[in-house]
């Protein structure tokens, strides 16, 4: 049933051009990512309980600005989602954890979210080193994890079926930069 509801939500987000213009592309992507994550997860809880999603990202340390932007985007997207009735009448709640830009802190945060808070999925905003450190927990607990910013090939190339990514790999980015430099700037070796 949840998968059907999430599919309907995904189609609504993709098809609702007026709402997409109002929300902007990032909020649209976040709602779509949350809907996809939830469609991959079997949620079993009372109908009046919120669906809990975890978020691990950098809210302090050298990259706090990126984490704050991500956190605000998630909050806006979840607000829109909940104002539209949530998922099958259930509100979505996000539990935020600061990884301090540290793989060790991210592991602790992920363990808390998965084993104590009992989230059904986790968004990971941090860099590849943080994402790679937390992936075994997602696999062990069979919790969907969405890598928002990680670009290392092993994030999705490791065979961990519980981890998905939103962006490309380092190789994809590098290839795009080289293509641009050669085709658009006329640079050569």
């Amino acid at each position: 049933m949840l998968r059907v509801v999430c599919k309907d939500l995904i189609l609504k987000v993709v098809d609702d051009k007026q709402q997409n213009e109002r929300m902007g592309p990032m909020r649209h992507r976040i709602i779509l990512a949350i809907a996809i994550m939830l469609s991959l997860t079997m949620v079993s809880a009372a109908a009046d309980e919120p669906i809990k999603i975890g978020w691990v990202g950098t809210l302090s340390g050298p990259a706090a600005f990126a984490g704050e932007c991500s956190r605000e985007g998630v909050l806006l997207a979840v607000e829109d989602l909940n104002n539209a009735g949530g998922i099958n009448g259930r509100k979505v709640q996000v539990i935020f954890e600061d990884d301090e830009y540290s793989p060790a802190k991210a592991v602790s945060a992920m363990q808390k979210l998965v084993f104590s808070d009992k989230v059904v999925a986790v968004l990971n905003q941090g860099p590849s080193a943080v994402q790679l450190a937390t992936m075994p927990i997602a696999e062990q607990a069979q919790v969907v994890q969405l890598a928002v910013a990680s670009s290392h090939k092993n994030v999705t190339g490791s065979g961990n079926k519980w981890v998905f990514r939103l962006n490309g790999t380092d190789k994809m980015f590098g290839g795009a930069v080289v293509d641009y430099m050669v085709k658009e700037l006329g640079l050569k070796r």
Side-chain angles (χ1 to χ4, degrees):
M1 177 64 174
L2 180 63
R3 290 176 192 258
V4 172
V5 171
C6 288
K7 179 182 174 192
D8 291 344
L9 177 64
I10 292 166
L11 294 175
K12 181 182 183 320
V13 169
V14 171
D15 291 339
D16 192 343
K17 292 180 183 173
Q18 182 180 3
Q19 181 162 327
N20 291 342
E21 288 174 16
R22 181 181 63 81
M23 290 173 47
M26 184 50 93
R27 286 172 73 187
H28 170 246
R29 285 185 204 154
I30 291 169
I31 287 178
L32 188 58
I34 290 170
I36 290 168
M37 282 176 50
L38 292 174
S39 71
L40 296 168
T41 306
M42 298 307 291
V43 179
S44 60
D48 58 342
E49 291 182 24
I51 298 170
K52 294 192 285 187
I53 298 173
W55 180 94
V56 177
T58 304
L59 295 173
S60 61
F65 66 92
E68 285 295 333
C69 290
S70 173
R71 181 181 179 277
E72 291 304 311
V74 169
L75 285 171
L76 289 169
V78 169
E79 179 183 358
D80 284 346
L81 185 62
N82 286 337
N83 287 341
I87 304 280
N88 202 20
R90 291 175 61 194
K91 299 291 184 185
V92 173
Q93 173 190 3
V94 181
I95 302 169
F96 294 92
E97 291 292 330
D98 183 8
D99 64 22
E100 300 177 31
Y101 206 68
S102 159
K105 298 277 186 178
V107 166
S108 294
M110 182 77 169
Q111 288 171 332
K112 177 190 174 290
L113 289 169
V114 170
F115 300 118
S116 296
D117 297 325
K118 306 287 187 202
V119 299
V120 297
V122 177
L123 292 163
N124 188 309
Q125 172 271 326
S128 295
V130 166
Q131 175 66 39
L132 292 167
T134 59
M135 287 171 40
I137 300 163
E139 188 169 37
Q140 174 193 356
Q142 298 184 349
V143 170
V144 173
Q145 186 180 37
L146 183 65
V148 177
S150 304
S151 56
H152 192 280
K153 65 181 180 177
N154 287 348
V155 169
T156 50
S158 68
N160 186 333
K161 66 181 183 177
W162 296 95
V163 177
F164 302 87
R165 77 165 78 232
L166 282 182
N167 64 325
T169 64
D170 292 328
K171 185 176 181 179
M172 293 168 145
F173 291 138
V177 169
V178 169
D179 283 350
Y180 177 80
M181 291 171 64
V182 171
K183 293 176 184 173
E184 300 297 322
L185 301 179
L187 299 177
K188 297 181 182 176
R189 209 173 180 162

